[in-house]
């Protein structure tokens, strides 16, 4: 219960948010946490279709970043802290893109990133 309450304290999507924004939120929080946040925002008197937002959140699959450290190593980066930095930069791009793109697309982005493009 304490963990659920802590998760409910995060950023609240707005009923007017596009699906890309909801996917970004789901990349960092569970469906349950986002629904709880919507319930709390509605209880505080927030305007909008909160029931509709909760339904939209439930209907979206939780996105998972398609790359891992092994992908970065396979691309030629030696084990070490640079792997985390590369993954972090690419994950930021993935979030900015609304968590879109498959593994192949992000492996190509990894190659461009490492090439300095």
């Amino acid at each position: 219960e304490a963990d659920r309450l802590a998760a409910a304290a995060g950023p609240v999507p707005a009923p007017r948010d596009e699906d890309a924004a909801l996917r970004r939120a789901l990349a960092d929080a569970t469906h349950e946490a986002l629904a709880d946040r919507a319930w709390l925002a509605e209880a505080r008197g927030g305007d909008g279709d909160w029931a509709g937002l909760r339904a939209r959140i439930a209907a979206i699959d939780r996105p998972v970043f398609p790359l891992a450290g092994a992908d970065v190593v396979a691309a030629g980066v030696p084990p070490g802290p640079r792997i985390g930095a590369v993954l972090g930069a690419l994950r930021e791009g993935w979030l900015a893109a609304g968590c879109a793109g498959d593994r192949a697309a992000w492996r190509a982005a990894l190659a461009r990133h490492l090439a300095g493009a």
Side-chain angles (χ1 to χ4, degrees):
E1 290 176 347
D3 290 341
R4 185 172 180 181
L5 287 172
V12 182
R16 67 185 175 284
D17 283 349
E18 295 182 4
D19 285 353
L22 297 181
R23 283 191 301 274
R24 282 190 288 274
L26 281 166
D28 291 324
T30 65
H31 288 87
E32 180 180 63
L34 292 182
D36 287 347
R37 294 172 193 177
W39 280 112
L40 291 170
E42 182 178 21
R44 287 191 296 266
D47 291 333
D49 179 11
W50 294 101
L53 174 64
R54 288 187 294 275
R56 288 176 54 217
I57 289 168
I60 295 173
D61 289 333
R62 189 164 186 214
V64 176
F65 183 56
L67 297 180
D71 296 302
V72 181
V73 171
V77 176
R82 183 167 178 230
I83 291 172
V86 169
L87 284 174
L90 290 170
R91 187 174 188 276
E92 287 299 316
W94 176 73
L95 289 168
C99 306
D102 61 11
R103 182 173 167 77
W106 286 99
R107 287 186 81 174
L110 168 61
R112 286 191 304 275
H113 179 82
L114 294 177

